Amino acid sequence: MTPARSIALLLAVALPAASAGPPARAATDAPATVHGLAMHGAAKYPAGFRHFDYVNPGAPKGGTVRLASIGSFDSLNPFIIKGQAADGIGAIYDSLTTASADEPFTRYGLLAESMEVPADRSWIIFNLRPEARWHDGRPLTADDVVFTFDLVRREGTPQLRFYYQSIGAVEKLGTHRVKFSFTGGENREMPLIVGEQPILPKHYWESRDFTKTTLEPPLGSGPYRIDSLEAGRFIEYRRVADYWGSALPVNLGTDNFDRIRYDYYRDATVQIEAFKAGEFDYRDENSSKHWATAYEIPEVASGLMAKEEIRHNRPAGMQGYVYNTRRALFADRRVRQALAYAFDFERSNQTLFYGQYTRTRSYFDNSELAATGLPGPAELAILEPYRDRVPAEVFTSDYQPPVTDGSGRIRANLAEAVKLLKEAGWSIEGGRLVDGEARPFEFEILLVSPLFERITLPFTKNLERLGIKASVRTVDTAQYIKRLETYDFDMIVFSWGQSLSPGNEQLSFWGSAAAEQNGSRNFAGIRDPVVDELIAKLIAAPDRDALVARTRALDRVLQWGFYVIPHWHLDYDRLIYWNKFGRPAVTPERGAQFGAWWVEPEKEKRLRGKVKSVAR
């Protein structure tokens, strides 16, 4: 968990899997009652476990942590499409279950004391903890759970409505007992997914308009409540002293800060200078340039500030230049393949990134889920029925993005691009690339961060050598989000995060139905029945081996679809922070868990007087 308790605004869809339906169970098959539910196999932590392995159950409570965000906020309701919700708002809510950070995908009871689920996972019953309370002292009951799902399925974001559409019914079976029934084919993930949704108080929201943005601090049940805020400038959360769930095994060693404050800054440059001045405490650096150059300062050398690279085994996901294939310009696979030859990653890595990055080649890089080499027997069995419906390279070649020697001389690559563009019907006339009707090849690359301009402008220069005019436009966050929601772009930079247990969210990323749904994450506009079927198979995977094989099969088809010009990734977290924290000795496979850190009074005392702003 993080101090923000990342709210599960699940940007995915849960459409029925394309199967004949779940296998029938014998009448004697009784549902299992469990404390934790794994996607495949058994939960790592047994019933009665004391705490997760990667926390310090004796961590001291106290202190303030100050964090930073870019941009602004104008709402405290993150469940609707309107407005920009404040960072950290998830800290005020609890969900039915919570995840561990050292398993692929397992959910343990939080609001739920136990869960009942049949072998086919066609339904699940959550038995709520009678001691669960809202911040106003009223009990949290099954009425709140039913109300929440009715509300978000009716009026929540398109992603949430899409995500939950395979929920057939949500039924109250008792004051502290609620049942979810699922429709469609086999979908092992849905019982875990519904447990992620933060639960809302019926008695609070039934008298308010849920569809409107609000700056009235909403009622929650989680470990923090909103203490103060100024719209667009800062928001501060205070730990709930009598939080009902503080002693639960899933919470021990977390939520250690008394106060969490987010200050908003105009851009990263201003934010970094504020950090070095001691205006906030912790930064997860996402810029290689800043990591290499911005922190060569006395405070790091003296130990007042700590700079660490912490390894992880999280899937890297996919970041890259994303083609909007809804545009006729990018409908041809050969065109998409050609433009990738104009992106010189090796040059950027040497001159801009200080050699820090690894080129991404898979949608699931840095994990066992990535498709590498040629397909093995398990993958071939999945892919064979589609042999005539996917690119031949899926079976014959190991996908690798174009490479250069880093010198900046990419003439050979551009020659390959010209060959592909000619095959697709384009030709160069008067220095411009034109189609058969003399229409020029022109498009816009939409950015939200000026940091990407230094990477994108050399890319456009290489495209210009092909006769292509690519303009770069950087817009503010609000405009960027609006244009993404309606797919009003030609090309963007985007990053799809992935988990060790991919599932229903893949439909929102790559599914045909999502391509037609505003607000989904199928920004590439992929509408391929083969991809849809492979996602359905992935969702219905009966065990871990099948999940890995089916994910790799999907990965191969996406790779050879050339929907993205892949960027790069790291296999470590770049953390820079004022040295006032303690952290657990164990780092789980998902990397640093800042929500399990704590303030060490002696370290904080050392900072006082030496750094004017720290620990004020």
Side-chain angles (χ1 to χ4, degrees), residues 121-276:
R121 298 198 178 186
S122 59
W123 54 265
I124 187 171
I125 292 173
F126 293 96
N127 297 305
L128 305 181
R129 299 183 191 271
E131 66 269 29
R133 290 288 185 275
W134 298 106
H135 293 158
D136 63 3
R138 294 180 61 165
L140 190 151
T141 69
D143 288 325
D144 297 306
V145 178
V146 174
F147 173 81
T148 295
F149 280 88
D150 286 346
L151 185 64
V152 298
R153 288 194 295 164
R154 185 177 68 249
E155 298 178 343
T157 64
Q159 295 99 324
L160 286 172
R161 297 198 303 269
F162 220 10
Y163 205 50
Y164 293 142
Q165 68 179 24
S166 62
I167 297 175
V170 185
E171 306 169 74
K172 174 185 174 182
L173 303 182
T175 303
H176 296 100
R177 190 169 161 85
V178 61
K179 180 179 182 180
F180 291 78
S181 300
F182 308 116
T183 60
E186 187 175 356
N187 192 329
R188 294 181 55 82
E189 194 179 28
M190 281 308 297
L192 289 86
I193 287 172
V194 296
E196 295 177 322
Q197 170 65 42
I199 302 303
L200 305 174
K202 178 181 179 181
H203 67 280
Y204 177 87
W205 281 108
E206 64 186 353
S207 62
R208 291 169 171 82
D209 188 345
F210 186 73
T211 65
K212 293 183 177 179
T213 62
T214 180
L215 289 172
E216 175 189 6
L219 180 67
S221 65
Y224 289 89
R225 57 165 42 113
I226 296 171
D227 188 66
S228 60
L229 64 92
E230 186 175 335
R233 294 193 63 187
F234 79 89
I235 185 167
E236 187 165 313
Y237 302 89
R238 175 166 49 89
R239 188 164 56 85
V240 177
D242 59 349
Y243 170 47
W244 73 269
S246 60
L248 294 178
V250 294
N251 287 335
L252 283 182
T254 67
D255 308 316
N256 299 317
F257 307 119
D258 276 352
R259 292 180 179 272
I260 303 172
R261 177 184 171 106
Y262 292 84
D263 286 303
Y264 282 75
Y265 294 88
R266 183 180 68 250
D267 56 44
T269 301
V270 175
Q271 189 182 82
I272 288 172
E273 292 308 310
F275 172 72
K276 291 192 288 188

Side-chain angles (χ1 to χ4, degrees), residues 139 241 366 519 604:
N366 199 45
E604 189 172 53

Side-chain angles (χ1 to χ4, degrees), residues 312-318 363-369 496-501 570 589-590:
H312 64 73
N313 292 311
R314 296 191 304 269
M318 172 61 76
Y363 288 78
F364 303 88
D365 243 323
N366 199 45
S367 78
E368 65 175 339
L369 303 168
W496 289 273
Q498 293 287 4
S499 76
L500 289 168
S501 184
L570 293 171
E589 58 188 4
R590 294 189 189 176

Side-chain angles (χ1 to χ4, degrees), residues 298-316:
E299 289 81 359
V300 172
S302 68
L304 291 176
M305 189 183 288
K307 183 183 179 188
E308 292 190 90
E309 296 178 355
I310 300 178
R311 297 284 168 179
H312 64 73
N313 292 311
R314 296 191 304 269

